């Protein structure tokens, strides 16, 4: 990302302070101009983002539409691609201040004590589980004995599918086989019979579904059942940054929530913004954006605590979280309200 937005924000704010001093003598006599300029200086934040995750389009939107600048921020966006572990290490070690990603991926490291907290939720609906249309699969019980393709054995989609299998009475470690493929090969792997089902997040899995020309069907995902009313991705901020720079953490959260609201109300323009980050055609990007619940966003209050507790309970049931972990207590510990 270029430094254009940072430069604009700094010049705008410092220029406003100078105009006040030159054009309003009375006000200038009451305020120390250098102090005013210092107070108005943008708050610096390093924010991690995949660079390709369309479900997290709030990040480039906040850059392009000026939401970061509006809230007095100078944000450096650091791209990690699909390397979740690298972004997690970066925020935990202080290389970056905050990141955005799947709640389902954060929960195990958070249970283990990694020093970050959720300050907000951005949207829902971006994980899908696909099966052959010809098989007529309508329930996860029908996946018993089948092979499921995922892009990573620690992925949010694999965790999600494991939970659904468990709820259907299956053991996700014994009753199915997991196989790893790049997302763009999942559809071909199903066609060849190497796997029976596939699970991943958008935009990749949406393209697999769309390019199947009806041969694949969406069995489930974060747009189905209880999950259609839950968030799937959150804003995670390093504890020390929260303590030392709470105004910046609050401003970052507000800017991202406002960007999410804008995306919900302007999906076609949001798709145009994302063409700078993706080779996917704008109309398809707009389809994907509309399929997500960008209207489902809020800060780290009781609503987010309840949702995080639901996910934590899910992961506990399949043994990803420890049996002794209390989902409600974990949620209370790792969700913080910086907006009140």
């Amino acid at each position: 990302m270029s430094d254009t937005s940072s430069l604009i924000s700094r010049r705008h704010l410092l220029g406003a302070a100078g105009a006040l001093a030159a054009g309003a003598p009375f006000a200038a006599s009451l305020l120390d101009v250098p102090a005013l300029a210092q107070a108005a200086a943008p708050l610096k934040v390093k924010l991690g983002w995949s660079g390709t995750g369309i479900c997290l389009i709030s990040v480039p939107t906040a850059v392009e539409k000026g939401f970061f600048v509006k809230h007095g921020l100078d944000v450096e966006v650091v791209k990690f691609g699909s390397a979740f572990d690298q972004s997690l290490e970066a925020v935990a070690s202080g290389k970056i201040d905050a990141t955005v990603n799947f709640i389902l991926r954060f929960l195990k490291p958070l249970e283990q004590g990694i020093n970050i907290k959720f300050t907000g939720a951005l949207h829902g609906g971006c994980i899908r589980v696909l099966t052959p249309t010809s098989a007529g699969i309508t329930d996860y019980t029908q996946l018993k004995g089948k092979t499921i393709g995922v892009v990573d054995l620690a992925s949010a989609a694999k965790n999600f599918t494991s939970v659904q299998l468990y709820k259907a009475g299956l053991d996700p470690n014994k009753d199915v086989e997991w196989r790893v493929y790049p997302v763009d090969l999942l559809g071909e792997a199903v066609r060849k019979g190497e796997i029976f089902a596939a699970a991943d997040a958008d935009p990749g899995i949406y393209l697999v579904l769309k390019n199947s020309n009806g041969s694949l069907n969406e069995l489930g995902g974060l747009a189905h059942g209880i999950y259609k009313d839950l968030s799937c991705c959150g804003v995670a901020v390093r504890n020390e940054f929260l303590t030392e720079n709470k105004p910046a953490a609050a401003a970052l959260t507000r800017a991202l929530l406002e960007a999410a609201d804008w995306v919900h109300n302007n999906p076609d323009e949001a798709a145009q913004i994302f063409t700078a980050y993706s080779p996917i055609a704008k109309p398809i990007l707009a389809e994907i954006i509309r399929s997500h619940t960008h209207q489902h966003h809020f800060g780290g209050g009781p609503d987010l605590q309840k949702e995080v507790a639901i996910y934590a309970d899910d992961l506990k049931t399949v043994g990803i979280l420890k049996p002794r972990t209390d989902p409600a207590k974990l949620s209370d510990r790792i969700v913080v309200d910086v907006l009140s």
Side-chain angles (χ1 to χ4, degrees):
M1 185 190 74
S2 71
D3 292 332
T4 303
S5 60
S6 302
L7 185 60
I8 290 172
S9 63
R10 189 174 295 109
R11 285 178 176 170
H12 173 76
L13 291 168
L14 297 182
L20 176 60
F26 177 72
S29 69
L30 298 178
L31 295 172
D32 178 74
V33 175
L36 174 62
Q38 184 178 11
L43 301 168
K44 292 182 176 292
V45 179
K46 287 187 177 181
L47 174 65
W49 177 51
S50 71
T52 58
I54 190 171
C55 61
L56 293 167
I57 192 174
S58 296
V59 173
T61 295
V63 174
E64 297 295 330
K65 302 304 294 184
F67 290 107
F68 289 143
V69 173
K70 172 185 174 182
H71 288 279
L73 295 170
D74 178 359
V75 175
E76 177 186 349
V77 178
V78 182
K79 297 176 185 177
F80 288 93
S82 59
F84 174 81
D85 290 341
Q86 289 181 20
S87 67
L88 186 68
E89 187 278 330
V91 71
S93 65
K95 296 173 185 174
I96 60 176
D97 305 307
T99 189
V100 288
N101 217 306
F102 291 108
I103 292 171
L104 280 166
R105 284 299 300 269
F106 281 115
L107 286 178
K108 184 61 180 179
L110 282 164
E111 179 197 46
Q112 295 172 327
I114 198 164
N115 63 327
I116 60 177
K117 284 185 169 62
F118 292 120
T119 63
L122 294 178
H123 70 92
C126 62
I127 288 176
R128 306 174 197 270
V129 182
L130 309 182
T131 57
T133 304
S134 60
I137 301 295
T138 58
D139 190 89
Y140 285 95
T141 57
Q142 295 169 276
L143 296 182
K144 185 173 183 178
K146 306 296 186 182
T147 300
I148 303 172
V150 292
V151 299
D152 182 347
L153 292 178
S155 72
K158 197 263 187 180
N159 288 348
F160 172 84
T161 309
S162 295
V163 169
Q164 306 320 305
L165 292 169
Y166 183 88
K167 288 182 176 181
L170 303 181
D171 185 333
N173 297 314
K174 296 179 180 179
D175 291 331
V176 301
E177 181 181 345
W178 302 95
R179 194 170 295 173
V180 174
Y181 287 84
V183 65
D184 57 340
L185 295 183
L186 286 173
E188 182 67 8
V190 174
R191 189 186 68 79
K192 290 181 175 180
E194 296 173 3
I195 57 176
F196 183 80
D200 198 35
D202 293 337
I205 199 67
Y206 186 91
L207 293 180
V208 171
L209 177 62
K210 190 172 182 67
N211 293 338
S212 76
N213 297 314
S215 66
L216 292 176
N217 179 64
E218 193 168 338
L219 170 62
L222 288 176
H224 299 262
I226 65 167
Y227 302 98
K228 67 182 178 62
D229 297 318
L230 298 182
S231 312
C232 64
C233 289
V235 183
V237 180
R238 182 166 44 89
N239 289 352
E240 291 85 357
F241 190 76
L242 281 168
T243 301
E244 300 166 5
N245 300 279
K246 185 177 178 181
L252 176 71
T253 304
R254 285 194 180 94
L256 288 170
L257 296 180
E258 286 189 21
D261 195 60
W262 186 91
V263 169
H264 171 65
N265 290 311
N266 302 275
D268 292 307
E269 192 175 347
Q272 181 59 46
I273 288 173
F274 207 74
T275 58
Y277 304 90
S278 172
I280 301 170
K282 175 186 169 182
I284 298 176
L285 292 173
E287 285 179 21
I288 300 173
I289 291 168
R290 285 188 171 90
S291 75
H292 299 158
T293 56
H294 290 281
Q295 75 276 16
H296 191 80
H297 55 266
F298 38 74
D303 288 339
L304 184 53
Q305 287 179 326
K306 290 176 184 176
E307 292 191 2
V308 169
I310 289 171
Y311 282 124
D313 188 60
D314 275 354
L315 295 186
K316 179 180 175 179
T317 63
V318 294
I320 294 173
L321 297 188
K322 298 174 183 177
R324 67 174 181 270
T325 294
D326 183 316
K329 289 182 179 179
L330 174 64
S331 180
D332 288 346
R333 176 170 65 82
I334 64 178
V335 175
V336 60
D337 184 0
V338 295
L339 303 183
S340 61

